[in-house]
Amino acid sequence: QVQLVESGGGLVQPGGSLRLSCAASGSIFSIGPMGWYRQAPGKQRELVAAVTSGGTTNYADSVKGRFTISRDKAKNTVYLQMNSLKLEDTAVYYCNADIFSSSWQRRVYWGQGTQVTVSS
């Protein structure tokens, strides 16, 4: 079975930085796009950043220039470097990945979520 395990969340002051990690493990044939989503209280889940297997990235306008998504294919891990954090970045962050457990078995997996709190 496949699972995504997140780490790196926590409490940080405005303007600070945090790095999130998400590692996929289990029966994995290949991994397609990977991404980070977040959900703040009272709001819908939104895409923060995504990266394709080819390295193409996509960011929400609210985080452009501040966040950087990257992946290590050898480690089946995706990262989210968050700089210049703002109060409005406070949310539960979830990673996800489009994973092939075989050449034909494909499914989207989600991490358990990690809390990021930006507060002074």
Side-chain angles (χ1 to χ4, degrees):
Q1 55 186 15
V2 178
Q3 65 175 359
L4 271 55
V5 179
E6 301 178 35
S7 62
L11 176 65
V12 65
Q13 295 182 329
S17 299
L18 217 53
R19 191 193 192 207
L20 306 182
S21 298
C22 176
S25 63
S27 181
I28 300 172
F29 179 75
S30 66
I31 302 178
M34 301 182 81
W36 289 94
Y37 290 74
R38 68 185 181 187
Q39 187 164 24
K43 295 185 177 181
Q44 293 185 319
R45 186 191 305 166
E46 65 173 345
L47 174 68
V48 176
V51 58
T52 69
S53 59
T56 300
T57 58
N58 183 44
Y59 298 92
D61 289 340
S62 61
V63 306
K64 286 182 179 178
R66 299 189 297 119
F67 291 10
T68 302
I69 188 170
S70 62
R71 67 191 291 177
D72 186 332
K73 292 187 176 182
K75 296 181 179 180
N76 290 330
T77 301
V78 62
Y79 306 92
L80 185 66
Q81 178 66 47
M82 304 183 292
N83 298 325
S84 302
L85 284 161
K86 303 175 179 179
L87 266 56
E88 48 264 46
D89 292 319
T90 295
V92 176
Y93 285 70
Y94 301 88
C95 69
N96 88 330
D98 190 356
I99 298 176
F100 295 79
S101 56
S102 70
S103 61
W104 60 273
Q105 194 72 249
R106 178 185 178 183
R107 213 195 94 178
V108 175
Y109 291 84
W110 291 88
Q112 79 281 5
T114 184
Q115 178 70 48
V116 171
T117 301
V118 184
S119 177
S120 60

